[in-house]
Amino acid sequence: MADHVAMTQLEVPDYDLGLRGKLVRSSKTRRGSSLAFCTIVYGLSLTDDVTDTPFSSAANGYPDAQLVPDETTRVELPWRPGTDAVIADLVDADLRPLDLSPRAVLGNLADRYGELGLAPVLGFEYELWIFRDERGAAPPILGDRAAHGRTENAYSLTRCAEIHDIATEFVNRMDQIGIEIEMFHAELGPGFFEFTLAPETALRATDNAVRARQYLRDLCAERGLHASFMAKPFADKSGAGGHVHSSLTRDGDNVFSDGAGALSAEGSHYLAGLLAGMADTSLMLNPHVNSYKRIDPEMFTPAFANWGYDDRGTAARVILADARSARVEHRRPGADANPYLVAAALLAAGLRGLRERLALPAGDAEPAELPGDLGSALTHFENSTWLPDLLGKPFCTSFATTRRAELQRYEQWLRTTITDWELHRHLEHQ
């Protein structure tokens, strides 16, 4: 029987999954209706462990906040007849987005660039793993999941053929809702693929990125597949990156380059900010314990805050071949990081560089080493003197609280779990 009640998928940005939400009657989401959502959304881990924050806790009863849809994001979902989707943010009594919201933080940063007459443009690209949700003949196998496809070659046309139906359906679905996927190809690894989104202004680009991730997971689930953006599921394989290309425009024109093959003054200050702020923002770029197992310079995943022209071995790859598309690719973020957090980290660091007119490090300067684990990243984030000003103290406090809780859960697991490493070394030999 066909659906007769028009439904809306409310999509609420969080810290870990990217989007959470619920299905409601569309009539309840239009102007004049009252919507609410529990503030616990900013304290839920990937597996729904609850972290109490100063703003939402057992002590205050995890209160609701009013939820306001952003009508500019409402789209019909043609592959789900009778259903549309809209991104919505929790707001305070004055209808201002809560300071805890990563989307609100990003919007505020974009406004600050506007005060300088600039508009940042972002282009996201994601590597991901696609598995069959069953044991199959193709190795390797993780739990009950077998990697999709038999070979691991990067840019393999055979692997493109194996994934053709999923890839083309994904590209077509995104096109139907105004999200342009520029390419989809095989990466080096089992069931490992990559897709690239067309560049857009900061908030639009990030909304597109978070939706593309969610909708690809949904599509794979429809087909009996599992799409994962986990940073490092295989110890001996590459990790999944979530690189972001960024540039600066003024009145629609790219001003990142000077037009003669070099960085403009603004481009130089912005890049200097990315480098100077990379250690402090690592918690947002690499927010999980597993995130740091991806860090390996031999796998083109940077451990230092360095930069170079068209150099994939650096953390900031500057591309100036065409002044109209001049940009920097930030290669530190993992695919596991929330796009809103990544975009906010980039824009905050770049804005600091522009405001303070930071200079690029001298050519012979040793680049700063970046945090190599979640605990070190948390220390850098909490000790930062400039992040609270640009991200807001409420967000910084809330996000750091959730990362500390995540680290404590992992450390508790290590203390109480007998690992295979211990059994191999001790059980047979002592």
Coordinates of all heavy atoms in Angstrom, one line a residue, residues 289-381:
V289 N 39.6 7.5 19.2 CA 40.8 6.8 19.5 C 41.3 6.2 18.2 O 42.5 6.3 17.9 CB 40.5 5.7 20.5 CG1 41.7 4.7 20.6 CG2 40.2 6.3 21.9
N290 N 40.5 5.6 17.4 CA 40.9 4.9 16.1 C 41.4 5.9 15.1 O 42.2 5.5 14.2 CB 39.7 4.1 15.6 CG 40.1 3.4 14.3 OD1 39.7 3.9 13.2 ND2 40.8 2.3 14.4
S291 N 41.0 7.2 15.2 CA 41.5 8.2 14.3 C 43.0 8.2 14.1 O 43.5 8.5 13.0 CB 40.9 9.6 14.7 OG 39.5 9.6 14.8
Y292 N 43.7 8.1 15.3 CA 45.1 8.3 15.3 C 45.9 7.0 14.8 O 47.1 7.1 14.5 CB 45.5 8.7 16.7 CG 44.9 10.0 17.0 CD1 43.7 10.1 17.6 CD2 45.6 11.2 16.7 CE1 43.1 11.3 17.8 CE2 45.0 12.4 16.9 CZ 43.7 12.5 17.4 OH 43.2 13.7 17.6
K293 N 45.2 5.9 14.6 CA 45.8 4.7 14.0 C 46.0 4.9 12.5 O 46.7 4.2 11.9 CB 45.1 3.5 14.4 CG 45.1 3.2 15.9 CD 44.4 1.9 16.3 CE 44.6 1.7 17.8 NZ 44.0 0.5 18.3
R294 N 45.3 5.9 12.0 CA 45.4 6.2 10.5 C 46.6 7.0 10.3 O 47.1 7.0 9.1 CB 44.1 7.0 10.1 CG 44.3 7.7 8.8 CD 43.0 8.5 8.4 NE 43.2 9.5 7.4 CZ 43.5 10.8 7.6 NH1 43.4 11.2 8.9 NH2 43.7 11.6 6.6
I295 N 47.1 7.7 11.3 CA 48.3 8.7 11.0 C 49.5 7.9 10.7 O 50.1 7.1 11.5 CB 48.5 9.6 12.3 CG1 47.2 10.3 12.7 CG2 49.6 10.6 12.0 CD1 46.5 11.1 11.6
D296 N 50.0 8.1 9.5 CA 51.2 7.3 9.0 C 51.7 8.1 7.7 O 51.1 7.9 6.7 CB 50.8 5.9 8.7 CG 52.0 5.1 8.2 OD1 53.1 5.6 8.0 OD2 51.9 3.9 8.0
P297 N 52.8 8.8 7.8 CA 53.3 9.5 6.7 C 53.6 8.6 5.5 O 53.5 9.1 4.3 CB 54.6 10.2 7.2 CG 54.4 10.3 8.7 CD 53.6 9.1 9.1
E298 N 53.9 7.4 5.7 CA 54.2 6.5 4.6 C 52.9 6.1 3.8 O 52.9 5.7 2.7 CB 54.8 5.2 5.1 CG 56.3 5.4 5.6 CD 57.0 4.1 5.9 OE1 56.4 3.0 5.6 OE2 58.1 4.2 6.4
M299 N 51.8 6.4 4.5 CA 50.5 6.2 3.8 C 49.8 7.5 3.5 O 48.6 7.7 3.4 CB 49.5 5.4 4.8 CG 49.9 4.0 5.1 SD 49.6 2.9 3.7 CE 50.0 1.3 4.5
F300 N 50.7 8.6 3.3 CA 50.2 9.9 2.9 C 49.3 10.5 4.0 O 48.4 11.3 3.6 CB 49.6 9.9 1.6 CG 50.5 9.4 0.5 CD1 50.4 8.1 0.0 CD2 51.5 10.2 -0.1 CE1 51.2 7.6 -1.0 CE2 52.3 9.8 -1.1 CZ 52.2 8.5 -1.5
T301 N 49.5 10.2 5.2 CA 48.7 10.8 6.3 C 49.6 11.6 7.2 O 50.5 10.9 7.9 CB 47.9 9.7 7.1 OG1 47.2 8.9 6.2 CG2 47.0 10.4 8.1
P302 N 49.6 12.9 7.3 CA 50.6 13.7 7.9 C 50.7 13.6 9.4 O 49.7 13.6 10.1 CB 50.3 15.1 7.4 CG 48.8 15.1 7.2 CD 48.5 13.7 6.7
A303 N 51.9 13.6 9.9 CA 52.2 13.7 11.3 C 52.7 15.0 11.7 O 52.9 15.3 12.9 CB 53.2 12.6 11.7
F304 N 53.0 15.9 10.8 CA 53.5 17.3 11.0 C 52.7 18.3 10.3 O 52.1 18.1 9.3 CB 55.0 17.4 10.6 CG 55.9 16.5 11.4 CD1 56.1 15.2 11.0 CD2 56.6 17.0 12.5 CE1 57.0 14.3 11.7 CE2 57.4 16.1 13.2 CZ 57.6 14.8 12.8
A305 N 52.7 19.5 10.9 CA 52.0 20.6 10.3 C 52.8 21.3 9.2 O 53.4 22.4 9.4 CB 51.6 21.6 11.3
N306 N 53.0 20.6 8.1 CA 53.8 21.1 7.0 C 53.0 21.4 5.8 O 51.8 21.1 5.7 CB 55.0 20.1 6.7 CG 54.4 18.7 6.4 OD1 53.2 18.5 6.4 ND2 55.3 17.8 6.2
W307 N 53.6 22.1 4.8 CA 52.9 22.4 3.6 C 53.8 22.3 2.4 O 55.1 22.3 2.5 CB 52.2 23.8 3.6 CG 53.2 24.9 3.5 CD1 54.0 25.4 4.5 CD2 53.4 25.8 2.4 NE1 54.8 26.5 4.1 CE2 54.4 26.7 2.8 CE3 52.9 25.8 1.1 CZ2 54.9 27.7 1.9 CZ3 53.3 26.8 0.2 CH2 54.3 27.7 0.6
G308 N 53.3 22.2 1.2 CA 54.0 22.2 0.0 C 53.2 22.4 -1.2 O 51.9 22.2 -1.2
Y309 N 53.8 22.7 -2.4 CA 53.0 22.9 -3.6 C 52.7 21.6 -4.2 O 53.7 20.8 -4.6 CB 53.8 23.8 -4.6 CG 53.9 25.3 -4.1 CD1 55.1 25.8 -3.6 CD2 52.8 26.1 -4.2 CE1 55.1 27.1 -3.2 CE2 52.8 27.4 -3.8 CZ 54.0 27.9 -3.3 OH 54.1 29.2 -2.8
D310 N 51.5 21.2 -4.4 CA 51.0 20.0 -5.0 C 51.8 18.8 -4.4 O 52.1 17.9 -5.2 CB 51.2 20.1 -6.5 CG 50.3 19.1 -7.2 OD1 49.4 18.5 -6.6 OD2 50.4 18.9 -8.5
D311 N 51.9 18.8 -3.1 CA 52.7 17.7 -2.5 C 51.7 16.9 -1.5 O 51.3 17.4 -0.5 CB 53.8 18.3 -1.7 CG 54.7 17.2 -1.0 OD1 54.4 16.0 -1.0 OD2 55.8 17.6 -0.5
R312 N 51.4 15.7 -1.9 CA 50.5 14.9 -1.1 C 51.1 14.3 0.1 O 50.4 13.7 0.9 CB 49.9 13.7 -2.0 CG 48.9 14.2 -3.0 CD 48.4 13.0 -3.9 NE 47.2 13.4 -4.7 CZ 47.3 14.0 -5.9 NH1 48.5 14.3 -6.4 NH2 46.2 14.3 -6.5
G313 N 52.3 14.5 0.3 CA 53.0 14.1 1.6 C 52.9 15.1 2.7 O 53.3 14.8 3.8
T314 N 52.3 16.3 2.4 CA 52.2 17.3 3.4 C 50.8 17.4 4.0 O 49.8 16.9 3.4 CB 52.5 18.7 2.8 OG1 51.6 19.0 1.7 CG2 54.0 18.7 2.3
A315 N 50.7 18.1 5.1 CA 49.4 18.3 5.7 C 48.5 19.3 5.0 O 47.3 19.2 4.9 CB 49.5 18.7 7.2
A316 N 49.2 20.3 4.3 CA 48.5 21.3 3.6 C 49.1 21.3 2.2 O 50.2 21.9 2.0 CB 48.6 22.7 4.2
R317 N 48.4 20.8 1.2 CA 48.8 20.7 -0.2 C 48.2 21.9 -0.9 O 47.0 22.0 -1.2 CB 48.3 19.4 -0.8 CG 48.6 19.3 -2.3 CD 47.8 18.0 -2.8 NE 47.8 17.9 -4.3 CZ 46.8 17.5 -5.0 NH1 45.7 17.1 -4.4 NH2 46.9 17.4 -6.3
V318 N 49.1 22.8 -1.3 CA 48.7 24.0 -2.0 C 48.6 23.8 -3.5 O 49.6 23.3 -4.1 CB 49.6 25.2 -1.7 CG1 49.2 26.4 -2.5 CG2 49.6 25.5 -0.2
I319 N 47.5 24.2 -4.2 CA 47.3 23.9 -5.6 C 47.0 25.3 -6.3 O 46.0 25.9 -6.0 CB 46.1 23.0 -5.8 CG1 46.4 21.7 -5.0 CG2 45.9 22.7 -7.3 CD1 45.1 20.8 -4.9
L320 N 48.0 25.7 -7.1 CA 47.9 27.1 -7.7 C 48.0 27.0 -9.2 O 48.2 28.1 -9.8 CB 49.0 28.0 -7.1 CG 49.0 28.2 -5.6 CD1 50.1 29.1 -5.2 CD2 47.7 28.9 -5.2
A321 N 47.8 25.9 -9.8 CA 48.0 25.8 -11.3 C 47.0 26.7 -12.0 O 47.4 27.2 -13.1 CB 47.8 24.3 -11.7
D322 N 45.8 26.8 -11.5 CA 44.8 27.7 -12.2 C 44.3 28.7 -11.1 O 43.8 28.3 -10.1 CB 43.7 26.9 -12.7 CG 42.6 27.7 -13.4 OD1 42.6 28.9 -13.3 OD2 41.8 27.1 -14.2
A323 N 44.5 30.0 -11.3 CA 44.1 31.0 -10.3 C 42.7 30.9 -10.0 O 42.3 31.2 -8.9 CB 44.5 32.4 -10.9
R324 N 41.8 30.5 -11.0 CA 40.4 30.4 -10.7 C 40.0 29.3 -9.7 O 39.0 29.4 -9.1 CB 39.6 30.2 -12.0 CG 39.8 31.4 -13.0 CD 39.3 31.0 -14.4 NE 40.0 29.8 -14.9 CZ 39.8 29.2 -16.1 NH1 38.8 29.7 -16.8 NH2 40.5 28.3 -16.5
S325 N 40.9 28.3 -9.6 CA 40.6 27.2 -8.7 C 41.7 27.0 -7.6 O 41.9 26.0 -7.1 CB 40.4 25.9 -9.4 OG 41.6 25.6 -10.2
A326 N 42.5 28.1 -7.4 CA 43.5 28.1 -6.4 C 43.0 27.7 -5.0 O 41.9 28.2 -4.6 CB 44.2 29.4 -6.3
R327 N 43.7 26.8 -4.3 CA 43.1 26.3 -3.1 C 44.2 25.6 -2.3 O 45.3 25.4 -2.8 CB 42.0 25.4 -3.3 CG 42.4 24.1 -4.1 CD 41.1 23.4 -4.7 NE 41.5 22.1 -5.3 CZ 41.9 22.0 -6.6 NH1 42.1 23.1 -7.3 NH2 42.1 20.8 -7.1
V328 N 43.8 25.2 -1.1 CA 44.7 24.3 -0.2 C 43.9 23.1 0.2 O 42.7 23.2 0.6 CB 45.3 25.1 1.0 CG1 44.2 25.7 1.9 CG2 46.1 24.2 1.8
E329 N 44.5 22.0 0.0 CA 43.9 20.7 0.5 C 44.4 20.4 1.9 O 45.6 20.1 2.0 CB 44.2 19.6 -0.5 CG 43.6 18.2 -0.1 CD 44.1 17.1 -0.9 OE1 45.1 17.2 -1.6 OE2 43.5 16.0 -0.8
H330 N 43.5 20.3 2.8 CA 43.9 19.9 4.2 C 43.8 18.4 4.3 O 42.7 17.9 4.2 CB 42.9 20.6 5.2 CG 43.4 20.7 6.6 ND1 44.1 19.6 7.2 CD2 43.4 21.7 7.5 CE1 44.4 20.0 8.4 NE2 44.0 21.2 8.6
R331 N 44.9 17.7 4.5 CA 44.9 16.3 4.4 C 44.9 15.6 5.8 O 45.0 14.4 5.8 CB 46.2 15.9 3.6 CG 46.1 16.4 2.2 CD 47.4 16.0 1.4 NE 47.6 14.5 1.3 CZ 46.9 13.7 0.5 NH1 46.0 14.2 -0.4 NH2 47.2 12.4 0.5
R332 N 44.9 16.3 6.8 CA 44.9 15.7 8.1 C 43.5 15.1 8.5 O 43.5 14.1 9.2 CB 45.3 16.8 9.2 CG 45.2 16.3 10.6 CD 46.4 15.3 11.0 NE 46.3 15.0 12.4 CZ 47.3 14.4 13.1 NH1 48.4 14.1 12.5 NH2 47.1 14.1 14.4
P333 N 42.3 15.7 8.2 CA 41.1 15.2 8.7 C 40.8 13.7 8.2 O 41.2 13.4 7.1 CB 40.0 16.1 8.1 CG 40.8 17.4 7.7 CD 42.1 16.9 7.4
G334 N 40.2 12.9 9.1 CA 39.8 11.6 8.7 C 38.4 11.6 8.3 O 37.6 12.5 8.5
A335 N 38.0 10.5 7.5 CA 36.7 10.3 7.1 C 35.7 10.2 8.2 O 34.5 10.3 8.1 CB 36.6 9.1 6.1
D336 N 36.2 9.8 9.4 CA 35.4 9.5 10.6 C 34.9 10.8 11.3 O 34.1 10.7 12.2 CB 36.1 8.6 11.6 CG 37.5 9.2 12.0 OD1 38.1 10.0 11.3 OD2 37.9 8.8 13.1
A337 N 35.5 11.9 10.9 CA 35.2 13.2 11.6 C 33.9 13.8 11.0 O 33.7 13.8 9.8 CB 36.3 14.2 11.5
N338 N 33.1 14.4 11.9 CA 31.9 15.1 11.5 C 32.2 16.3 10.6 O 33.1 17.1 11.0 CB 31.2 15.6 12.8 CG 29.9 16.3 12.6 OD1 29.7 17.0 11.6 ND2 29.0 16.1 13.5
P339 N 31.6 16.4 9.4 CA 32.0 17.5 8.5 C 31.8 18.9 9.1 O 32.6 19.8 8.8 CB 31.0 17.3 7.4 CG 30.7 15.8 7.4 CD 30.7 15.4 8.8
Y340 N 30.8 19.1 10.0 CA 30.7 20.4 10.6 C 31.9 20.7 11.5 O 32.3 21.9 11.5 CB 29.4 20.4 11.4 CG 28.1 20.4 10.6 CD1 27.3 19.3 10.7 CD2 27.8 21.4 9.7 CE1 26.1 19.2 9.9 CE2 26.6 21.3 9.0 CZ 25.8 20.2 9.1 OH 24.7 20.1 8.3
L341 N 32.4 19.7 12.2 CA 33.5 19.9 13.1 C 34.8 20.2 12.3 O 35.6 21.1 12.6 CB 33.8 18.7 14.0 CG 32.7 18.4 15.0 CD1 33.0 17.1 15.7 CD2 32.5 19.5 16.0
V342 N 35.0 19.5 11.2 CA 36.1 19.7 10.3 C 36.1 21.1 9.7 O 37.1 21.8 9.7 CB 36.2 18.6 9.3 CG1 37.3 18.9 8.2 CG2 36.5 17.3 9.9
A343 N 35.0 21.5 9.2 CA 34.8 22.8 8.5 C 35.1 23.9 9.5 O 35.8 24.9 9.2 CB 33.5 22.9 7.9
A344 N 34.5 23.7 10.7 CA 34.7 24.8 11.8 C 36.2 24.9 12.2 O 36.7 26.0 12.4 CB 33.8 24.4 13.0
A345 N 36.9 23.7 12.3 CA 38.3 23.7 12.6 C 39.1 24.5 11.6 O 40.0 25.3 11.9 CB 38.8 22.3 12.8
L346 N 38.8 24.2 10.3 CA 39.6 24.9 9.2 C 39.3 26.4 9.2 O 40.2 27.2 9.2 CB 39.1 24.3 7.9 CG 40.0 23.2 7.3 CD1 39.9 21.9 8.1 CD2 39.5 22.9 5.8
L347 N 38.0 26.7 9.3 CA 37.7 28.2 9.2 C 38.2 28.9 10.4 O 38.6 30.1 10.3 CB 36.2 28.3 9.0 CG 35.6 27.8 7.7 CD1 34.2 28.4 7.5 CD2 36.5 28.1 6.5
A348 N 38.1 28.3 11.6 CA 38.6 29.0 12.8 C 40.1 29.3 12.7 O 40.6 30.4 12.9 CB 38.3 28.2 14.0
A349 N 40.9 28.3 12.3 CA 42.3 28.4 12.2 C 42.7 29.4 11.1 O 43.6 30.3 11.2 CB 43.0 27.1 11.9
G350 N 42.0 29.3 9.9 CA 42.3 30.3 8.8 C 41.9 31.7 9.2 O 42.6 32.6 8.8
L351 N 40.8 31.9 9.9 CA 40.4 33.2 10.3 C 41.4 33.8 11.3 O 41.7 35.0 11.2 CB 39.0 33.1 11.0 CG 38.4 34.4 11.4 CD1 38.2 35.4 10.3 CD2 37.0 34.2 12.1
R352 N 41.9 33.0 12.2 CA 43.0 33.5 13.1 C 44.2 34.0 12.3 O 44.7 35.0 12.5 CB 43.4 32.4 14.0 CG 44.5 32.8 15.0 CD 45.1 31.6 15.7 NE 46.2 31.9 16.6 CZ 47.2 31.1 16.9 NH1 47.1 29.8 16.4 NH2 48.2 31.4 17.6
G353 N 44.5 33.2 11.2 CA 45.7 33.6 10.4 C 45.4 35.0 9.7 O 46.3 35.8 9.6
L354 N 44.2 35.2 9.2 CA 43.8 36.4 8.6 C 43.8 37.6 9.5 O 44.3 38.7 9.3 CB 42.5 36.2 7.9 CG 42.4 35.4 6.6 CD1 41.0 35.0 6.3 CD2 43.1 36.1 5.5
R355 N 43.2 37.3 10.7 CA 43.0 38.4 11.7 C 44.4 38.9 12.2 O 44.6 40.1 12.4 CB 42.2 37.9 12.9 CG 40.7 37.9 12.6 CD 40.1 37.3 13.9 NE 38.8 37.8 14.2 CZ 38.2 37.6 15.3 NH1 38.7 36.7 16.2 NH2 37.0 38.1 15.6
E356 N 45.2 37.9 12.5 CA 46.5 38.2 13.1 C 47.6 38.4 12.1 O 48.8 38.6 12.4 CB 46.9 37.1 14.1 CG 45.9 37.0 15.3 CD 46.3 35.9 16.3 OE1 47.5 35.5 16.2 OE2 45.5 35.5 17.1
R357 N 47.3 38.3 10.8 CA 48.2 38.4 9.7 C 49.4 37.5 9.9 O 50.6 38.0 9.8 CB 48.6 39.9 9.5 CG 47.4 40.8 9.2 CD 47.8 42.2 9.0 NE 48.5 42.4 7.7 CZ 47.9 42.4 6.5 NH1 46.6 42.4 6.4 NH2 48.6 42.6 5.4
L358 N 49.2 36.3 10.2 CA 50.3 35.3 10.5 C 51.1 35.1 9.2 O 50.6 35.1 8.1 CB 49.7 34.0 11.0 CG 48.9 34.0 12.3 CD1 48.5 32.6 12.7 CD2 49.8 34.6 13.4
A359 N 52.4 34.9 9.5 CA 53.3 34.7 8.3 C 53.6 33.2 8.2 O 53.6 32.5 9.2 CB 54.6 35.4 8.6
L360 N 53.8 32.7 7.0 CA 54.2 31.3 6.8 C 55.5 31.1 7.4 O 56.4 31.9 7.5 CB 54.2 31.0 5.3 CG 52.9 30.9 4.6 CD1 53.1 30.8 3.1 CD2 52.1 29.6 5.1
P361 N 55.8 29.9 8.0 CA 57.0 29.5 8.5 C 58.2 29.7 7.5 O 58.0 29.5 6.3 CB 56.9 28.1 9.0 CG 55.4 27.8 9.0 CD 54.8 28.7 8.0
A362 N 59.3 30.0 8.0 CA 60.5 30.1 7.1 C 60.8 28.7 6.5 O 60.4 27.7 7.1 CB 61.7 30.6 7.9
G363 N 61.4 28.8 5.3 CA 61.6 27.5 4.6 C 62.4 26.5 5.4 O 62.2 25.3 5.1
D364 N 63.3 26.9 6.2 CA 64.2 26.0 7.0 C 63.6 25.7 8.4 O 64.3 25.0 9.2 CB 65.6 26.5 7.1 CG 65.6 27.9 7.8 OD1 64.5 28.5 8.1 OD2 66.7 28.4 8.1
A365 N 62.4 26.2 8.7 CA 61.8 25.9 10.0 C 61.3 24.5 10.1 O 60.7 24.0 9.2 CB 60.7 26.9 10.2
E366 N 61.5 23.9 11.3 CA 61.0 22.6 11.5 C 59.5 22.6 11.7 O 59.0 23.4 12.6 CB 61.7 21.9 12.7 CG 63.1 21.5 12.5 CD 63.2 20.3 11.6 OE1 62.3 19.5 11.6 OE2 64.2 20.3 10.8
P367 N 58.7 21.9 11.0 CA 57.3 21.9 11.2 C 56.9 21.3 12.6 O 57.6 20.4 13.1 CB 56.7 21.1 10.1 CG 57.8 20.1 9.7 CD 59.1 20.9 10.0
A368 N 55.8 21.8 13.1 CA 55.3 21.3 14.4 C 54.8 19.9 14.3 O 54.1 19.6 13.3 CB 54.3 22.3 15.0
E369 N 55.1 19.1 15.3 CA 54.6 17.7 15.3 C 53.1 17.8 15.8 O 52.8 18.5 16.7 CB 55.4 16.8 16.2 CG 54.9 15.3 16.1 CD 55.9 14.4 16.8 OE1 56.8 14.9 17.5 OE2 55.7 13.2 16.7
L370 N 52.2 17.0 15.1 CA 50.8 17.0 15.5 C 50.5 15.9 16.5 O 51.3 14.9 16.6 CB 50.0 16.8 14.2 CG 50.1 17.9 13.2 CD1 49.4 17.6 11.9 CD2 49.7 19.3 13.7
P371 N 49.5 16.1 17.3 CA 49.1 15.1 18.3 C 49.0 13.7 17.6 O 48.4 13.5 16.5 CB 47.8 15.5 18.8 CG 47.8 17.0 18.6 CD 48.5 17.2 17.3
G372 N 49.5 12.7 18.4 CA 49.5 11.3 17.9 C 48.5 10.4 18.5 O 48.5 9.2 18.2
D373 N 47.7 10.9 19.4 CA 46.7 10.2 20.1 C 45.6 11.1 20.6 O 45.8 12.3 20.7 CB 47.3 9.3 21.3 CG 48.0 10.2 22.3 OD1 47.3 10.8 23.1 OD2 49.2 10.3 22.3
L374 N 44.5 10.5 21.0 CA 43.4 11.3 21.4 C 43.7 12.2 22.7 O 43.2 13.3 22.8 CB 42.1 10.4 21.7 CG 40.8 11.1 21.9 CD1 40.4 12.0 20.7 CD2 39.7 10.1 22.3
G375 N 44.4 11.6 23.6 CA 44.7 12.3 24.8 C 45.5 13.6 24.6 O 45.3 14.6 25.1
S376 N 46.6 13.4 23.7 CA 47.4 14.6 23.4 C 46.6 15.6 22.6 O 46.7 16.8 22.9 CB 48.6 14.1 22.5 OG 49.3 15.2 22.1
A377 N 45.7 15.2 21.7 CA 44.8 16.2 21.0 C 43.9 16.9 22.0 O 43.7 18.1 21.8 CB 44.0 15.4 19.9
L378 N 43.4 16.2 22.9 CA 42.5 16.8 23.9 C 43.2 17.9 24.7 O 42.7 19.0 25.0 CB 41.9 15.7 24.9 CG 41.0 16.2 26.0 CD1 39.8 16.9 25.4 CD2 40.6 15.0 26.9
T379 N 44.5 17.6 25.1 CA 45.3 18.5 25.9 C 45.5 19.8 25.0 O 45.4 20.9 25.5 CB 46.6 17.9 26.2 OG1 46.4 16.8 27.1 CG2 47.5 18.9 27.0
H380 N 45.9 19.7 23.8 CA 46.1 20.8 22.9 C 44.8 21.6 22.8 O 44.8 22.9 22.9 CB 46.5 20.4 21.5 CG 48.0 20.1 21.4 ND1 48.9 21.1 21.1 CD2 48.7 19.0 21.5 CE1 50.1 20.6 21.1 NE2 50.0 19.3 21.3
F381 N 43.7 21.0 22.6 CA 42.4 21.7 22.4 C 42.0 22.4 23.7 O 41.7 23.6 23.6 CB 41.3 20.6 22.1 CG 40.0 21.2 21.8 CD1 39.6 21.6 20.5 CD2 39.0 21.3 22.8 CE1 38.4 22.2 20.2 CE2 37.7 21.8 22.5 CZ 37.4 22.2 21.2

